[in-house]
Amino acid sequence: MLYLDYAATTPPYPEVVEAVREVMVRFYGNPSSIHRIGMEAERLVIQSRETIAGILRVKPAELIFTSCGTESNNLAVKGAALAARNRGNHMITTPIEHASVSESVRQLESLGFRITVVPVDESGAVRLDKLEEALDAETVLVSVMHVNNEMGRIQPIADVARLLKAYPAALLHVDGVQSVGKLPFSPAELGIDLLSASAHKFRGPKGAGFLYCREGVRLEPLLAGGGQEGGSRSGTENVPLIVGMAKALRMATDRLDDAIERKRLFRAVLAEGIASIPELRLTGPTDGEGMAPHIVHLTFPGMKSEVVVHALERHGYFISTKSACSSGEEKPSGTLLAMGFDKPRAVSGLRISYPEDYTEDDARRFVTALRDVVAELRPMIRKSKQAGGSPR
């Protein structure tokens, strides 16, 4: 068995599991309590905040602990927009954002905010020329993800930040869920004002995340309550998961350079193997230029992606798809459509994502299984073409 869905979630490091367990047992106090047991819990939260801040090269006070990436994105997008509504009501985003961003933007549009969705090119990169055209004096927020969660394109965040320098009222929010702990960068050095992250994407526990909020940026809180997290996010801090998140990020970044190189080697074997199967099309360049090292995306035109996912599962390989099928109706990927893919490709996307400890031999074995699955499904494609439909 080989789990190849690390972009969806990752197994926590054993050391993280043990750290979470120990904190749950020994340090169960409420960090807002003023007695010793509460102060012990608070100390762990402070230490975790300092650890993450040190890794990202930001100030500890600029970190807001949340429950997940979705909450971080909601707090960033809605909190920043609502706090700035007296200065302007224009927001800019892209058509390839995670639903927690795109749906937050949609909700703000219903409240009267003006929304511009700038296009991406055929590689999935945001069109900087169109972004520059869209910026105006009323723009208060631009939200562009760092690494696309579906096909792995790295966005030119530093270039986006440079464009925003001419518009000091416009904040830059970046969904970093697929890049924190996987790529070396500092949000402050890239010019990011708000950065979202989620622990379970870098082998931490589910239920923990954080939002980097640059000093001086004001957010409208989404949760009313006791005023924890500097008043930005009320609710008792989840001390065990916060500790686990900090430990996981430390472990991931301690081995980051080696991990990236190993993932690139794995990616190269996958890309070469996929290119050798005529029915498949690799998304992005074979050499991985501009693509994240931990995600490979491909399409299988003429075959619905979930059919391939389940066929590979029978061979012991677990990958994912971002296309969906509801009530027998094909639903193409919005990301792939935005990149200019036609419907047969947009309904056939497959995502492979992996850790650094998988070997090139693992990649070769997966390619062999993928080649076998394509051979198994080839007759279905021929029958479907004759019938004028799509295999289910």
Side-chain angles (χ1 to χ4, degrees):
M1 187 199 90
L2 204 63
Y3 177 71
L4 292 163
D5 198 14
Y6 271 65
T9 196
T10 61
Y13 292 115
E15 296 91 336
V16 169
V17 174
E18 178 55 31
V20 171
R21 187 203 68 79
E22 181 180 2
V23 175
M24 290 183 72
V25 172
R26 293 183 55 198
F27 302 99
Y28 49 82
N30 187 321
S32 295
S33 298
I34 62 172
H35 49 63
R36 177 177 56 81
I37 295 176
M39 292 174 67
E40 288 174 345
E42 182 188 27
R43 176 176 53 82
L44 292 178
V45 173
I46 291 171
Q47 290 175 348
S48 298
R49 201 185 306 275
E50 291 173 344
T51 295
I52 296 172
I55 292 168
L56 296 178
R57 302 190 294 281
V58 301
K59 299 175 182 178
E62 294 177 314
L63 295 177
I64 302 167
F65 290 133
T66 67
S67 64
C68 59
T70 288
E71 185 190 345
S72 296
N73 280 337
N74 272 260
L75 178 57
V77 173
K78 296 176 188 174
L82 292 173
R85 60 187 178 274
N86 292 329
R87 300 198 310 272
N89 72 337
H90 181 224
M91 297 177 55
I92 299 174
T93 188
T94 81
I96 63 169
E97 300 302 311
H98 188 270
S100 57
V101 169
S102 59
E103 288 300 303
S104 292
V105 169
R106 185 187 62 79
Q107 290 179 339
L108 288 167
E109 187 175 27
S110 71
L111 297 177
F113 281 83
R114 179 166 55 92
I115 309 300
T116 300
V117 180
V118 297
V120 296
D121 63 21
E122 64 278 1
S123 77
V126 61
R127 288 276 304 274
L128 294 170
D129 57 335
K130 297 298 183 182
L131 174 59
E132 187 171 19
E133 290 176 10
L135 287 163
D136 62 36
E138 295 292 310
T139 305
V140 293
L141 184 69
V142 175
S143 184
V144 179
M145 62 179 11
H146 194 181
V147 172
N148 181 263
N149 58 298
E150 185 170 345
M151 48 77 188
R153 183 64 162 91
I154 301 174
Q155 298 299 321
I157 297 301
D159 293 328
V160 174
R162 277 192 287 271
L163 290 178
L164 267 60
K165 286 183 178 179
Y167 298 87
L171 299 175
L172 175 57
H173 166 246
V174 171
D175 177 349
V177 167
Q178 289 294 343
S179 60
V180 172
K182 299 178 181 182
L183 295 177
F185 72 99
S186 166
E189 293 166 9
L190 281 182
I192 297 169
D193 298 299
L194 296 153
L195 176 79
S196 305
S198 181
H200 76 101
K201 303 296 187 177
F202 49 79
R203 302 197 65 173
K206 294 179 180 66
F210 65 83
L211 176 66
Y212 160 75
C213 181
R214 179 179 57 78
E215 187 177 38
V217 172
R218 193 171 72 85
L219 299 176
E220 186 78 17
L222 303 186
L223 300 176
Q228 289 89 345
E229 294 303 295
S232 295
R233 199 272 188 183
S234 292
T236 301
E237 290 93 347
N238 193 327
V239 182
L241 300 192
I242 289 171
V243 170
M245 175 168 61
K247 187 173 187 66
L249 188 58
R250 168 57 67 197
M251 293 181 67
T253 52
D254 279 349
R255 59 190 77 181
L256 191 56
D257 290 343
D258 181 62
I260 289 173
E261 181 58 28
R262 287 173 175 269
K263 289 173 184 176
R264 282 177 176 157
L265 293 172
F266 192 91
R267 191 186 203 286
V269 174
L270 282 186
E272 182 180 1
I274 290 165
S276 72
I277 303 173
E279 289 86 353
L280 306 181
R281 298 186 190 179
L282 182 71
T283 303
T286 304
D287 64 3
E289 183 67 27
M291 309 297 287
H294 59 283
I295 297 175
V296 169
H297 187 274
L298 66 143
T299 57
F300 189 173
M303 180 61 62
K304 291 181 66 179
S305 50
E306 53 263 37
V307 175
V308 185
V309 169
H310 293 308
L312 282 167
E313 184 177 352
R314 291 192 291 272
H315 286 256
Y317 294 92
F318 298 83
I319 68 170
S320 66
T321 168
K322 286 297 171 182
S323 299
C325 183
S326 177
S327 302
E329 181 181 353
E330 293 180 0
K331 184 178 179 182
S333 159
T335 294
L336 300 184
L337 290 176
M339 293 169 61
F341 287 24
D342 58 21
K343 187 177 179 180
R345 288 193 71 188
V347 298
S348 68
L350 299 163
R351 182 184 68 185
I352 307 160
S353 49
Y354 38 86
E356 69 275 11
D357 49 1
Y358 287 178
T359 67
E360 294 171 71
D361 284 340
D362 290 328
R364 293 186 186 97
R365 282 191 288 271
F366 171 75
V367 169
T368 298
L370 184 60
R371 186 174 286 111
D372 292 343
V373 164
V374 170
E376 293 169 11
L377 298 177
R378 196 173 286 128
M380 294 176 60
I381 298 176
R382 287 198 293 266
K383 289 180 182 178
S384 174
K385 288 181 177 178
Q386 293 170 359
S390 160
R392 297 191 179 279

